[in-house]
Amino acid sequence: MDLWACPAVVTGAASGLGAETARYLTEAGARVTVIDIDADGVRKVGEEIGAHAIHCDVADSLSAEKALTTARETHGAARVLVHCVGRGHFEPIVGVDGPMPLEDFRQLVEVNLISTFNMMRLAAADMARLPPMANGERGIILSTASVSAYEGQSGEAAYSASKGGVVSMILPAARELGPLGIRVVGIAPGLFGTQTLFDMEKNLDSRLARQIPFPHRFGDPAEFAMLVLHVIKNVMINGSVLRLDGGYHR
């Protein structure tokens, strides 16, 4: 897909993976809308990169519908959706104070999984109404999972479940939306230097980086953004979840 003047939406764009992805998309010539629940953060990113910024809770149906309507009125219906919303949370099932509050689990599923499906369904509906490009493609939806979906650690049961749901959606969604010319792809980052990692790993130090086969460091959000651009341009990538982790298996 040619990104020049292509309408694109990036969620979770106030910082981290989303902000860097939005930056790379604008540099590639896309007309980008950045969305985040952090109103000040997303506004700052929008101003820095020349993107249209919208404050929105993407797990909320009406809020997300309104945001995409605004994006569509500004830049046209998006052919690219990159969903980077995610919340990291380390909490044991049974702690010193008793069982994990059910509401904590519910919130992780709401933020990480329900928001992913919500944006997927709304963006796909817009893309399905677009005229196909020369190769028959109408759009692409990229969702952010996590290596914890496969190899969650002690204290990550809730987080792993929410990201595992994202992984499980990718292939059936690609099969369903493929006849419409819409690709669906997931990216499962490993240890990246973002606030989500810092929130989950309380005593963060170089011990984690040393466990990565190569390179021996945390991932840079720019490396996530570079993969996003490659996936968008390579029409044969579809229905898969791509690990981006330096060979890291916990």
Side-chain angles (χ1 to χ4, degrees):
M1 181 184 294
D2 184 1
L3 282 168
W4 184 257
C6 177
V9 169
V10 182
T11 63
S15 62
L17 303 180
E20 196 66 14
T21 297
R23 189 182 312 279
Y24 268 63
L25 286 170
T26 57
E27 290 175 355
R31 295 182 293 182
V32 178
T33 297
V34 288
I35 296 175
D36 203 289
I37 199 168
D38 177 357
D40 292 336
V42 77
R43 186 184 307 111
K44 181 179 179 182
V45 169
E47 291 172 352
E48 288 176 354
I49 67 175
H52 180 55
I54 301 175
H55 169 234
C56 170
D57 176 2
V58 293
D60 179 77
S61 177
L62 292 178
S63 181
E65 288 179 23
K66 183 178 179 181
L68 284 185
T69 297
T70 303
R72 186 167 58 247
E73 292 171 347
T74 304
H75 290 148
R79 289 194 183 271
V80 174
L81 168 67
V82 186
H83 185 68
C84 294
V85 169
R87 177 186 171 207
H89 188 60
F90 179 92
E91 186 173 1
I93 299 169
V94 180
V96 294
D97 297 324
M100 174 194 297
L102 186 58
E103 186 58 28
D104 289 358
F105 181 87
R106 196 186 312 277
Q107 287 179 1
L108 273 180
V109 171
E110 185 86 11
V111 172
N112 294 341
L113 179 56
I114 291 179
S115 75
T116 301
F117 182 79
N118 190 33
M119 294 303 296
M120 180 184 292
R121 72 184 183 93
L122 296 173
D126 275 353
M127 291 174 187
R129 291 190 288 266
L130 290 169
M133 294 179 286
N135 64 357
E137 188 174 17
R138 285 188 167 89
I140 179 170
I141 297 169
L142 293 102
S143 299
T144 307
S146 169
V147 295
S148 292
Y150 307 100
E151 298 148 10
Q153 300 300 293
S154 176
E156 292 183 356
Y159 178 73
S160 296
S162 67
K163 289 298 188 178
V166 174
V167 168
S168 296
M169 279 197 293
I170 300 303
L171 180 56
R175 285 172 169 162
E176 180 178 341
L177 298 175
L180 299 173
I182 300 170
R183 288 188 288 141
V184 182
V185 179
I187 299 177
L191 298 174
F192 272 69
T194 67
Q195 191 59 47
T196 299
L197 174 64
F198 303 145
D199 288 344
M200 291 191 66
E201 302 290 348
K202 296 304 180 184
N203 297 308
L204 196 64
D205 58 37
S206 60
R207 65 185 170 82
L208 286 175
R210 287 196 299 268
Q211 295 175 29
I212 300 172
F214 186 82
H216 305 303
R217 60 169 174 78
F218 299 139
D220 188 318
E223 291 160 331
F224 178 92
M226 284 188 282
L227 179 58
V228 168
L229 261 64
H230 176 74
V231 171
I232 292 170
K233 294 176 181 179
N234 191 331
V235 73
M236 282 301 292
I237 301 176
N238 188 25
S240 298
V241 180
L242 308 176
R243 290 184 65 131
L244 188 64
D245 58 12
Y248 179 64
H249 290 261
R250 293 194 279 178

